[in-house]
Amino acid sequence: DTEVTQTPKHLVMGMTNKKSLKCEQHMGHRAMYWYKQKAKKPPELMFVYSYEKLSINESVPSRFSPECPNSSLLNLHLHALQPEDSALYLCASSQDIAGGTDTQYFGPGTRLTVL
Amino acid sequence: AQSVTQPDIHITVSEGASLELRCNYSYGATPYLFWYVQSPGQGLQLLLKYFSGDTLVQGIKGFEAEFKRSQSSFNLRKPSVHWSDAAEYFCAVGGPLTGGFKTIFGAGTRLFVKA
């Protein structure tokens, strides 16, 4: 099974709402990632978790709060977002090998619209 | 600095024609190189990767890529394009010099296939 699942597929929220994005993988991967992708742009790394600990935070605003409850799950909690945060949010996972670089498997993404 | 350049923003080819997508990288050592494909509104799917060994790499869906160290290139090829190949293609580089977990993506090349 090389699948990464993400829910919901689409999300529309107001600027005062609190919502969460969920990501799940059952490949035994110990590294999990959140990316943000704007239209016609490449994915931008937001966060990396390695063995359920936050390893990389690419200076992401605090209105985005990641959480890794266990080795299979990754959440992204959203609060007080801005319209410019509207984007496709992609989750990925990989083996946590020495050096960290390995093939990343991506989920289908959550299309987020902030009104 | 580590970087990836995809010189072509978009390419149009006829169905059945051959395809070559260009990718040039800047990396201070032997890089880990990837090609991903993304259909509209979807996540990224790995086509192929190069870590070491044979410089001609075979991937899924009939794609191949050749690592040329002297030219700092990793071009993607397919001998006969199908209409279903229309998508966005991203070249990416990773490795210890990018911080391990960080994969640097090129800007992408949009492939259009005409009948």
Side-chain angles (χ1 to χ4, degrees), chain B residues 44-115:
Chain B
L44 278 69
Q45 181 182 23
L46 180 73
L47 288 175
L48 47 79
K49 64 185 179 185
Y50 172 80
F51 281 10
S52 65
D54 193 346
T55 57
L56 184 62
V57 181
Q58 302 297 319
I60 62 171
K61 305 186 180 185
F63 286 93
E64 67 177 26
E66 186 169 12
F67 170 58
K68 291 186 177 181
R69 185 189 303 274
S70 62
Q71 298 177 19
S72 297
S73 69
F74 189 56
N75 294 347
L76 183 71
R77 300 192 294 250
K78 186 169 184 177
S80 177
V81 169
H82 188 262
W83 64 266
S84 60
D85 293 323
E88 188 86 23
Y89 290 80
F90 293 100
C91 181
V93 66
L97 295 186
T98 62
F101 290 111
K102 294 177 69 172
T103 300
I104 296 175
F105 288 88
T109 298
R110 168 71 65 176
L111 173 64
F112 297 95
V113 180
K114 60 182 180 181

Side-chain angles (χ1 to χ4, degrees), chain A residues 9 31 33 35 37 40-43 45 48 50 55-56 58 88 90 94 96 99-104 106-109 111, chain B residues 32 34 36 38 40-46 49 51 88 90 93-96 98-103 105-108 110:
Chain A
K9 194 172 178 60
Y33 310 71
Y35 288 87
Q37 187 180 25
K40 302 186 189 302
K41 297 291 187 183
L45 184 65
V48 180
S50 173
S55 178
I56 295 176
E58 290 288 275
L88 182 68
L90 295 165
S94 70
D96 192 342
T101 299
D102 195 8
T103 303
Q104 293 181 30
F106 285 82
R111 174 70 62 188
Chain B
Y32 299 158
F34 307 85
Y36 287 91
Q38 185 178 34
Q42 300 297 313
L44 278 69
Q45 181 182 23
L46 180 73
K49 64 185 179 185
F51 281 10
E88 188 86 23
F90 293 100
V93 66
T98 62
F101 290 111
K102 294 177 69 172
T103 300
F105 288 88
R110 168 71 65 176

Side-chain angles (χ1 to χ4, degrees), chain A residues 1-38:
Chain A
D1 181 7
T2 58
E3 188 179 26
V4 176
T5 58
Q6 290 187 244
T7 55
K9 194 172 178 60
H10 300 277
L11 178 62
V12 179
M13 60 186 291
M15 289 189 285
T16 58
N17 291 159
K18 285 185 181 181
K19 296 287 185 183
S20 297
L21 309 184
K22 296 186 186 302
C23 173
E24 190 167 5
Q25 57 88 13
H26 294 288
M27 295 179 277
H29 290 171
R30 302 310 296 270
M32 296 187 76
Y33 310 71
W34 279 116
Y35 288 87
K36 174 183 178 180
Q37 187 180 25
K38 302 285 278 186

